[in-house]
Amino acid sequence: MKGQDWYQADEVAEEYDDVRFSGGGQLIDRREKEAVLSALGPIDPGHRVLEVACGTGRFTTMLADQGADVVGLDVSREMLEQAREKVAAAGHADTVEFLRGDASRLPFPDDHFDTVVAMRFFHLMDDPVPFATELRRVSRDQVFFDTFNSRSLRTLYTWLLPMGSRLYSERQVAAMLGEAGLALANEEHDFVLPYGFYRELPGAVAKPFRALDELAGDTIPGDYVASVSYWDARVADEE
């Protein structure tokens, strides 16, 4: 997996949210959380969610706030420490479980969760199919994830990132879902301007750019060159 050592550095974990989700990055955080909540819909009490690559617990805390029973898994001990602090501050320390582990060998039985969420995950995979298959194995119904897109402006700078970044075409995502036994239920595409652009701007400056970005994203060309895609997949019926 790309970037494993980088994500486990203390200074990276401690500064992760501030670097990515302050200033203009708040718009990214808000949109990602909106995408997750929209895909899951109203969460019934007892709805079991596994969050793979939970990182600092942004989505873990949000899902616990909605009443889900959440297990957060990450390979980085340092990231998990940040997540535990965040969840505890939100009052969910007794209801959220965190595990350090490998997403290619999940320590859960088949169909154990109602939903598996994997945000900011598949761009780190050299071979994503075994991971998608494992996420499908432990999900009774839904697997929700995002990808960065090969036809977007992200291609101009992804090689500069410390962990690299795998970019996907829609055809590659469809092939991955098919091999993993998942069926696509819904998809959304967003951010004509890549994440890195927003992170460099103060929040007040980023907002008008985001408004223009959303207008462009509502067009067919804008949708085609979107940087990020959100994929809502369901466990395929076995014949």
Side-chain angles (χ1 to χ4, degrees):
M1 187 177 76
K2 300 177 186 294
Q4 184 167 323
D5 292 339
W6 185 82
Y7 279 111
Q8 294 187 74
D10 285 333
E11 62 273 14
V12 170
E14 291 171 0
E15 299 175 358
Y16 188 84
D17 285 358
D18 289 339
V19 170
R20 283 161 180 75
F21 307 117
S22 61
Q26 293 179 4
L27 300 174
I28 301 168
D29 180 59
R30 187 178 307 145
R31 176 64 180 103
E32 289 183 330
K33 289 176 176 176
E34 175 189 90
V36 172
L37 289 179
S38 176
L40 270 64
I43 296 176
D44 296 327
H47 189 93
R48 293 193 291 185
V49 178
L50 170 64
E51 185 190 354
V52 171
C54 66
T56 60
R58 289 189 301 131
F59 302 107
T60 323
T61 306
M62 177 190 73
L63 291 168
D65 284 340
Q66 297 296 313
D69 293 339
V70 190
V71 176
L73 180 138
D74 203 283
V75 72
S76 170
R77 180 180 290 107
E78 291 72 19
M79 288 285 187
L80 288 174
E81 289 177 1
Q82 298 297 315
R84 288 190 179 97
E85 291 179 7
K86 189 174 295 180
V87 164
H92 300 302
D94 296 331
T95 58
V96 174
E97 180 182 1
F98 287 106
L99 294 175
R100 183 171 183 244
D102 182 352
S104 68
R105 295 185 295 274
L106 295 170
F108 308 105
D110 295 356
D111 306 327
H112 188 67
F113 296 94
D114 298 297
T115 298
V116 176
V117 173
M119 295 290 288
R120 303 291 186 100
F121 175 69
F122 278 102
H123 72 289
L124 302 173
M125 299 298 106
D126 292 317
D127 181 6
V129 172
F131 291 90
T133 302
E134 186 68 351
L135 303 192
R136 177 253 179 269
R137 181 186 67 79
V138 301
S139 177
R140 184 185 63 80
D141 180 42
Q142 181 181 34
V143 177
F144 181 79
F145 63 98
D146 65 343
T147 59
F148 296 133
N149 298 328
S150 59
R151 63 193 182 198
S152 69
L153 290 173
R154 192 177 176 90
T155 58
L156 300 178
Y157 73 92
T158 189
W159 58 275
L160 292 171
L161 299 175
M163 80 295 293
S165 188
R166 183 186 177 106
L167 306 182
Y168 292 80
S169 67
E170 288 194 46
R171 181 177 298 177
Q172 288 173 319
V173 172
M176 178 181 73
L177 292 175
E179 291 186 62
L182 290 164
L184 185 62
N186 191 39
E187 62 186 271
E188 292 186 88
H189 312 282
D190 205 346
F191 288 99
V192 175
L193 297 171
Y195 285 169
F197 174 81
Y198 286 100
R199 292 184 187 128
E200 298 301 319
L201 299 177
V205 176
K207 286 181 179 179
F209 282 103
R210 178 58 178 154
L212 293 173
D213 195 323
E214 290 178 314
L215 287 175
D218 287 337
T219 67
I220 293 175
D223 200 49
Y224 184 82
V225 297
S227 295
V228 184
S229 291
Y230 306 107
W231 308 96
D232 183 7
R234 303 305 163 97
V235 174
D237 292 333
E238 297 182 1
E239 296 183 357

Coordinates of all heavy atoms in Angstrom, one line a residue, residues 50 102-108 110 116 128-139 143 180:
L50 N -18.5 -0.3 9.2 CA -17.0 -0.4 9.2 C -16.4 0.7 8.4 O -16.8 0.9 7.2 CB -16.6 -1.7 8.7 CG -15.0 -1.9 8.5 CD1 -14.3 -1.8 9.8 CD2 -14.7 -3.2 7.7
D102 N -5.0 -4.5 8.8 CA -4.8 -4.6 7.3 C -6.1 -4.8 6.6 O -6.8 -5.8 6.9 CB -3.8 -5.7 7.0 CG -3.5 -5.8 5.6 OD1 -4.1 -5.1 4.7 OD2 -2.5 -6.6 5.2
A103 N -6.5 -3.9 5.8 CA -7.8 -4.0 5.1 C -7.8 -5.1 4.1 O -8.9 -5.5 3.7 CB -8.1 -2.7 4.4
S104 N -6.7 -5.8 3.8 CA -6.8 -6.9 2.9 C -7.1 -8.2 3.7 O -7.3 -9.3 3.1 CB -5.4 -7.1 2.2 OG -4.4 -7.4 3.1
R105 N -7.0 -8.1 5.0 CA -7.3 -9.3 5.9 C -8.2 -8.8 7.1 O -7.7 -8.7 8.2 CB -6.1 -10.0 6.3 CG -5.3 -10.6 5.2 CD -4.1 -11.4 5.7 NE -3.1 -10.5 6.4 CZ -2.1 -9.8 5.7 NH1 -2.0 -10.0 4.4 NH2 -1.3 -9.1 6.4
L106 N -9.4 -8.5 6.8 CA -10.2 -8.0 7.9 C -10.6 -9.0 8.9 O -11.1 -10.1 8.5 CB -11.5 -7.3 7.3 CG -11.3 -6.1 6.3 CD1 -12.5 -5.7 5.6 CD2 -10.7 -4.9 7.2
P107 N -10.5 -8.7 10.2 CA -10.8 -9.7 11.2 C -12.3 -9.8 11.6 O -12.7 -9.7 12.8 CB -10.0 -9.2 12.4 CG -10.0 -7.7 12.2 CD -10.0 -7.4 10.7
F108 N -13.1 -9.9 10.6 CA -14.6 -10.0 10.8 C -15.2 -11.1 9.9 O -14.7 -11.4 8.8 CB -15.3 -8.7 10.4 CG -14.6 -7.5 11.1 CD1 -13.8 -6.6 10.3 CD2 -14.8 -7.2 12.4 CE1 -13.3 -5.5 10.9 CE2 -14.3 -6.1 13.0 CZ -13.5 -5.2 12.3
D110 N -18.1 -13.0 7.5 CA -18.8 -12.5 6.3 C -20.1 -11.8 6.7 O -20.7 -12.2 7.7 CB -19.2 -13.7 5.4 CG -18.0 -14.4 4.8 OD1 -16.9 -14.0 5.0 OD2 -18.2 -15.5 4.2
V116 N -19.9 -0.7 4.6 CA -18.5 -0.4 4.7 C -18.2 0.9 4.0 O -18.6 1.1 2.8 CB -17.7 -1.6 4.1 CG1 -16.2 -1.2 4.1 CG2 -17.9 -2.9 4.9
P128 N -6.2 -2.8 -6.4 CA -7.4 -2.6 -5.6 C -8.3 -3.7 -5.5 O -9.1 -3.8 -4.5 CB -8.0 -1.4 -6.3 CG -7.7 -1.5 -7.7 CD -6.3 -2.1 -7.7
V129 N -8.3 -4.7 -6.4 CA -9.3 -5.7 -6.4 C -9.4 -6.6 -5.2 O -10.5 -6.8 -4.6 CB -9.2 -6.6 -7.7 CG1 -10.2 -7.8 -7.6 CG2 -9.5 -5.8 -8.9
P130 N -8.2 -7.1 -4.7 CA -8.3 -7.9 -3.4 C -8.9 -7.1 -2.2 O -9.6 -7.6 -1.4 CB -6.9 -8.2 -3.1 CG -6.2 -8.2 -4.5 CD -6.9 -7.0 -5.2
F131 N -8.7 -5.8 -2.2 CA -9.2 -5.0 -1.1 C -10.7 -4.8 -1.3 O -11.5 -4.9 -0.3 CB -8.5 -3.6 -1.1 CG -7.1 -3.7 -0.6 CD1 -6.1 -3.9 -1.5 CD2 -6.8 -3.6 0.7 CE1 -4.7 -3.9 -1.1 CE2 -5.4 -3.7 1.1 CZ -4.4 -3.9 0.2
A132 N -11.1 -4.5 -2.5 CA -12.6 -4.3 -2.8 C -13.3 -5.6 -2.5 O -14.4 -5.6 -1.9 CB -12.8 -3.9 -4.2
T133 N -12.7 -6.8 -2.8 CA -13.3 -8.1 -2.5 C -13.5 -8.3 -1.0 O -14.5 -8.8 -0.6 CB -12.5 -9.2 -3.2 OG1 -12.4 -8.9 -4.6 CG2 -13.1 -10.5 -2.9
E134 N -12.5 -7.9 -0.3 CA -12.5 -8.1 1.2 C -13.6 -7.1 1.8 O -14.3 -7.5 2.7 CB -11.2 -7.8 1.8 CG -11.1 -8.1 3.3 CD -11.2 -9.6 3.6 OE1 -11.5 -10.4 2.8 OE2 -10.9 -9.9 4.8
L135 N -13.7 -5.9 1.3 CA -14.8 -5.0 1.8 C -16.1 -5.6 1.5 O -17.0 -5.5 2.3 CB -14.6 -3.6 1.2 CG -13.3 -2.9 1.3 CD1 -13.5 -1.4 0.9 CD2 -12.7 -3.0 2.7
R136 N -16.3 -6.2 0.3 CA -17.6 -6.8 -0.1 C -17.9 -8.0 0.8 O -19.0 -8.2 1.2 CB -17.5 -7.2 -1.5 CG -18.8 -7.9 -2.0 CD -18.5 -9.4 -2.2 NE -19.7 -10.1 -2.6 CZ -20.5 -10.7 -1.8 NH1 -20.4 -10.6 -0.5 NH2 -21.6 -11.4 -2.3
R137 N -16.8 -8.7 1.2 CA -17.0 -9.9 2.0 C -17.7 -9.6 3.4 O -18.6 -10.3 3.8 CB -15.7 -10.7 2.2 CG -15.8 -11.9 3.0 CD -14.5 -12.6 3.4 NE -13.7 -11.7 4.3 CZ -13.9 -11.7 5.6 NH1 -14.9 -12.4 6.2 NH2 -13.1 -10.9 6.4
V138 N -17.2 -8.5 4.0 CA -17.7 -8.2 5.3 C -19.0 -7.4 5.3 O -19.5 -7.1 6.4 CB -16.6 -7.6 6.2 CG1 -15.4 -8.5 6.3 CG2 -16.2 -6.2 5.7
S139 N -19.4 -6.9 4.2 CA -20.6 -6.1 4.1 C -21.8 -6.9 3.7 O -21.8 -7.7 2.7 CB -20.4 -5.0 3.1 OG -21.6 -4.2 3.0
V143 N -21.2 -0.9 0.1 CA -19.8 -0.4 0.1 C -19.8 0.9 -0.5 O -20.1 1.1 -1.7 CB -18.9 -1.4 -0.6 CG1 -17.4 -0.9 -0.5 CG2 -18.9 -2.8 0.1
A180 N -15.1 -7.8 -7.8 CA -15.3 -7.9 -6.3 C -16.7 -8.4 -6.0 O -17.0 -8.7 -4.8 CB -15.1 -6.6 -5.7

